[in-house]
Amino acid sequence: MENQPSPRLLLDISRYPKLDAAQAGHLRHFHNLTTQLDGEWHHMAGFESLQELFDSYRYQLGVMAYAVGVTHFHRLPAARSMFKRLLDQVLHKMLLRDVWGYWYNASSSGNYTDPGRTEMRKPWADPIIKENIMYSGHLLMMTSMYAMLFDDDKYEQPESLTFRWDPILWGVGKETFRYDNRSVQSAILAEMERSNWIIAMRYNDVRDGTDVAGEVIEKYRKAWDEKGMVAPNGLYVDWWYMNQDKTAAPSDIVFTAWANAYMNTWNSELVESLYEKQALGYITIVNGQVRLHDHAFAVEYRKIVEANDDDDENHDTAAIVAKARAQRAIHRPPFDKYVDPVLGCVLQWLSELGKTTELQGLLDYADECLQPTWEKGGLFYPRKDLLNDENDEWTHMDPFTGNIAIGYGRLNVKDGQKKMFESPWTREILAKRPWIDGVDLSQGVDTLRAIWDGDHDALILTMRTWDNSRVTVEPIARNLEAGVWAVYVDGMLLKHASVEVRGNLSTTVTVGGNDVDVIFQHIKPETTTT
């Protein structure tokens, strides 16, 4: 006789965390940005139009992809179809010439990145072949993560990453550069070995049964020590000049924070050990208020703390903050119109290290003071070029931070990248795990829960529409074990059916502005009624 399910769900789904409104809003903003017509970059344009700075499209898209990845992996692991479609949208934008075409001019080099150069080189358009690690590395990471999350070799196929160089009014004809994930990796290995691209190689190692990442890490650790990448003040150097074999002294916390957000994967002992020294003066907590400060302030703050080093209680007091501000006013550097996305990179760093107090404090400050804006269900923070207001409080907002990095900070979890690096999903894991298909952001529906609980044989889905409209969707539970499965909607039995091994089961539900819970549960003797 067929197992008969209970008419009411016996599982308390409140035990499963769900996205809050802000987290869901960030994901929808990612969707809104990546579904614009090609060539439209609403909200994404930065201060500098030639894609040379840290708020360039490639950085926004790269970190958007990483935010999508950590959210899927840690928070909504069963929402495979939603995240796959979203990540495909991000990668489509990443392959547009608008994003990588800057390299033709940048490849001609100059004395900023190559001190002493007196003439420019002959430029080349191929964005992968050499030197352009800040595009090719992100593309490798994005496509490797895609394969790991979805067990899909789409970007491992020959010519799956194709670049067409076809300017209209100049040039000597069209050029096409054909790559795939592994050939991009080969180009990077031939050129250099950089820290966060190691993560991509690790994902590929798991799929290929190799240890490329291990070899790179060993070499990188040696080079890290030999080149003196940690400055005396605890910050990482801004960069290493290859031709001159020398380093550029740290000019801010931004590159240090950025590096730590990813280097925690393979060098977490160093990252953790340096946190207090690196954060000193840039992040303060006075009377429970967390604040971020610019480099000029941090320099003065550190001087004061060093002078009072025998009294640790003097750290992070209103008096020291006031004194540092007064000193900074005297020694304020000349105005620089190019401001790095310090807040965004710091939030990534704090989220990865699980610094909950500092992270939440800065997120609260952003929500209170930095103009959180909702548009088509998406949450972002609009650009503002002014660094500080008349009270010397942080006001700067760049597109990288406002569109992407605040969302990343909210969506990531402690050791989010590290856990993915150490225990990535494998083909075997994904082959056994049920998941939800048929629901994605294009339907106007936000997914707040999407979790498989193997202990209770339940696939839990929670949805709502972003605009309170009513939308009919058909979620499909895929990759189910053989047997009887029940479908519960808002706690009540809707139907049950027998499913074959690795089978599917769907249902139709109407979603509105209130949460709708859909649970697919495998019915076994202990969950049945007579």
Side-chain angles (χ1 to χ4, degrees), residues 2 19 65 88 113 120 124 149 180 228 249 285 334 374 376 427 458:
E2 185 182 84
L19 298 189
D88 271 322
T113 55
M120 295 192 296
W124 63 92
L149 292 174
D180 56 65
I285 307 176
W374 291 85
K376 298 179 181 178
R427 291 183 176 94

Side-chain angles (χ1 to χ4, degrees), residues 326-346:
Q327 290 296 110
R328 197 267 305 270
I330 297 172
H331 305 293
R332 187 184 294 273
F335 172 74
D336 187 351
K337 62 181 179 180
Y338 300 125
V339 179
D340 285 323
V342 177
L343 174 59
C345 291
V346 165

Side-chain angles (χ1 to χ4, degrees), residues 119-252:
E119 62 181 21
M120 295 192 296
R121 303 181 300 190
K122 181 179 179 180
W124 63 92
D126 186 337
I128 303 297
I129 191 63
K130 61 180 180 179
E131 294 189 15
N132 192 19
I133 190 71
M134 299 309 288
Y135 175 81
S136 62
H138 283 294
L139 184 63
L140 175 66
M141 172 71 168
M142 295 161 76
T143 53
S144 297
M145 185 179 66
Y146 183 96
M148 182 272 289
L149 292 174
F150 311 122
D151 186 25
D152 191 323
D153 63 0
K154 175 178 180 177
Y155 298 106
E156 297 171 352
Q157 297 300 309
E159 302 185 11
S160 55
L161 302 172
T162 295
F163 305 87
R164 294 178 175 82
W165 179 250
D166 53 355
I168 297 171
L169 299 179
W170 56 282
V172 292
K174 297 180 180 180
E175 297 179 81
T176 302
F177 314 110
R178 296 179 174 87
Y179 290 91
D180 56 65
N181 173 274
R182 295 304 189 273
S183 60
V184 171
Q185 176 169 293
S186 296
I188 291 173
L189 285 171
E191 185 67 22
M192 63 173 60
E193 292 152 350
R194 280 285 185 91
S195 58
N196 62 323
W197 322 137
I198 293 171
I199 303 174
M201 296 173 192
R202 163 66 174 155
Y203 294 158
N204 290 346
D205 282 342
V206 171
R207 291 178 67 79
D208 297 345
T210 56
D211 189 27
V212 175
E215 297 171 6
V216 172
I217 289 172
E218 183 178 349
K219 294 177 182 178
Y220 191 78
R221 286 184 186 275
K222 182 179 179 181
W224 182 270
D225 294 334
E226 290 177 350
K227 302 299 181 184
M229 300 299 283
V230 182
N233 63 3
L235 303 182
Y236 306 142
V237 300
D238 278 1
W239 61 69
W240 171 56
Y241 293 105
M242 293 178 61
N243 291 340
Q244 291 73 26
D245 191 20
K246 68 176 184 178
T247 57
S251 59
D252 207 331

Side-chain angles (χ1 to χ4, degrees), residues 20-26 371-380 446:
D20 61 29
Q23 290 169 324
H26 288 302
Q371 296 181 266
T373 301
W374 291 85
E375 183 178 279
K376 298 179 181 178
L379 174 61
F380 71 102
D446 290 337

Side-chain angles (χ1 to χ4, degrees), residues 25 33 57 80 85 100 111 118 219 226 263 297 317 331 345 372 388 396 418 443 463 478:
L33 293 177
Y57 299 149
R80 188 186 301 186
R85 179 165 183 170
W100 57 267
N111 57 24
T118 58
K219 294 177 182 178
E226 290 177 350
M263 198 162 68
F297 173 94
T317 67
H331 305 293
C345 291
N388 300 107
H396 182 261
K418 180 179 175 65
Q443 299 162 313
M463 305 169 286
R478 296 199 183 276

